[in-house]
Amino acid sequence: MTNAEIAAVFEQIADLLEFQGANPFRVRAYRTAARNIGELTEPLAEIVAAGDRDLTELPGIGQDLAEKIVTLLKTGSLPLLEVLKSQVPESVLTLLRVPGLGPKRAAALYKKLQITTLEELRQACLDHRVRELEGFGSKTEENILKGIEAAIQAGQRILWYEADQIVQSLREHLEPTAGLHRLVPAGSYRRGKDTVGDLDFLALADTPDPVMDRLATFRGVKDILARGDTKMSIVLQNGIQVDLRVVPAESFGAALQYFTGSKEHNVILRGMAKNRGLKINEYGVFRGEEQIAGREEEEVYAALDLPWFPPELREGRKEFEWAAAGKLPDLITLDDIRGDLHIHSTWSDGMATIEEIAEAARARGYQYIAITDHSQRVTVANGLNAERLLAQWEAIDRLAKKWRGFHILKGVEVDILEAGGLDLPDEVLKEADWVVASVHFGQNQPRDQITRRMIDALKNPYVCAIAHPTGRLLVERPPYEVDIDAVLRAARDYGKMMELNAHPRRLDLDDVACAVAKAYGVPIAISTDAHSVSGLDAMRYGVMQARRGGLTRADVVNTRPWRELKKLLPKYRK
Ligand code: DGT
Ligand code: CA
Ligand code: CA
Ligand code: ZN
C-alpha cells in the first residue's frame, strides 16, 4: 500500500465516523493522520519493512494509529473500517463527493429519506423531497442538484500530487527497460495543472515492444484497454488511465509538444503554422512533404519563430501575446523562495513544535518563517485566545535568540467570523509581525455576504493577507461563492497581499486568480499552511501554480531576502 492509499483509508474512517455523529476530536485525529501521511515523503511500507524505527516518532501518529498502519500494511484492511462499513452502506459515502454536502447532512438524507446513491439523491431533489427536510430548504436543494453534476465530473480527476506519485513509480518501473532512451510524462501533468485527468507518457525506444511489455506488468494495472504497434492504454486500480506512445526520434519533440498540449495552445499554434504555409502535427513541422522540425521541442517552436514555452504557460491564454512582444515572463522557481509565511505548530493543530519547524526551515535554506496558528474560534483545531497567543509570542522571542540570520515572524491565522469582524481584537493583532485572515465558518453564505466579510477583513489595518481566499478543496469542495475579483481589487486599494496556499488540495488562489492579482499589482505570498515538518514540502506545488499564473520572482513576497521583507512588511500594515 502506498502512503496515499493508507491516507485514503484514514480519511474514509473519518468520513464514516463523522457520518455517525462521532466525537469531532476523534474524527479530527483521523483526518490529521491522513493529512500527515499524505505529506510524508518516505513510504510507510519501507519504514515498517526496515523495522528500525518507531512509527510513533512520525507527526500525529500515536500508538493506536501506528498499530493500525502496521495492520493495514500486513493485511490490506482494518477491522475498524470493516465494522464502520457494515454499519453504513458504502454507496452512501459517494454522497460525500457532492460539494457542500458534509457527513452530517448526508446522514440526514440517509436516515430520513433512505437515500444511498447519487442517482437517488438526484431524484429526491427533482421531487422536491430534500427541501422538506429540517435544515435543508430550496436553495440547498438546488445547490445539491448542481453539486451532483460536479461530483460526477470531479470523481474522474486526481490531484496533481497524486498523479506525481504514480508518475514516479511508473518511471522507476519502466526506466530499466532495455533500449529505452527517453521517457517523458506529457499532458496536463507536465503543464502542472492542479488536477489531472489521465497520464500521457511518451517514450523513445529502439523498439516499442519491450517498454509496452513492461508497462503491462506494472503492479497498479487493473486492465489493459488497448495495445497497438506503438500505442498502449491501461487503467490503474484507482481508475486512472495511462496512455503510452512510443515515438521515433525524428518526431519526439513534435510529439512532446503535441501531447503536452493544452488543446487550446495547440489550436493557436496550428493556426500560426497554417498562416505561414506550414503544417504542424505530432510527427513534426512540414513544408509540403518536407519535415523541417520535430526532433526537439525547441526546434518545433523555432520553426514558427516562437520561443520555447514553459509547459505551465501553455493554456492558450496570454502566452502567444507575450511571445510576440518578446516578453515571456521569467517564471519563479522553487530556488527563489526565502521563507514560508503560513505555518501551524503544536500550539494549535500542528504536529511539530516551533523549534522543529524552524530547524527544518533553516535546513532548507530559508531565512524566515511565520508561525500562524489558528485563533480561538476554531475550537477543533485548538485555536489560540489572546492570552495563549501572547504567551506563544513570548516563547518565539526567547527561541529567536538561538539563531543568527534566521527569523521567526510572530503571526496568527485569525478567523473572519461568520457575522463579520475578526476573532481577535485589534490590540492583539497590532502586536503581531504578520497576520493572515481566513474564513472557516459560514462558508456557504451568499456571494455579497462572504465577499463583504473578506473585504472588511482587508480593511483591518493589521491584516496582511487573506489565506486560502476561495476555500476550494480540489475535487472535493467548490470555492465559496465569493467575488474574488472584488476581493483582489480591495487588496489593491488597501495595499494588501494575497496568499497562494500551496497545499496540493487547495492551490488557492488558483492560476487564473494569481494572474489577476498580478495585473492589479497585488503581491502574492506562496505559503504551505504546513501542519508538520514535511508539510513544508508543499512549497513546490504552490510555485508550480504560481508559474501557471505567469508570476515572476518579483511578484511573490516570500522571495524577498529577510532584510527586504523586514522593510516591506510595515507597508502592508496600516
Ligand atoms: P487531462 O488529461 O484532462 O488532465 O488533460 P490533458 O491536457 O492531458 O488532455 P488529454 O490527455 O486529453 O490530451 C493530452 C494532450 O494531447 C492535450 O493536452 C493536447 C493533445 N490533444 C488531445 N486531443 C487533442 C485535439 O483534439 N486537438 C489538439 N490540437 N490537441 C489535442
Ligand atoms: Ca492527460
Ligand atoms: Ca490522454
Ligand atoms: Zn492555516
Side-chain angles (χ1 to χ4, degrees), residues 187 191 256-263 265-266 301 311 314:
R191 301 198 310 278
L256 185 54
Q257 193 292 312
Y258 182 88
F259 290 108
T260 296
S262 66
K263 198 167 157 184
H265 177 91
N266 287 355
Y301 282 116
R314 303 184 195 174

Side-chain angles (χ1 to χ4, degrees), residues 562-571:
W562 170 252
R563 61 189 148 69
E564 282 180 34
L565 184 80
K566 201 170 80 170
K567 278 189 234 144
L568 204 64
L569 282 186
K571 299 198 184 132

Side-chain angles (χ1 to χ4, degrees), residues 187-188 197-201 231 233 241-245 259:
S188 53
D198 71 2
L199 291 170
D200 309 277
F201 272 90
K231 191 193 156 191
S233 289
Q241 184 175 328
V242 180
D243 298 334
L244 171 71
R245 291 179 179 82
F259 290 108

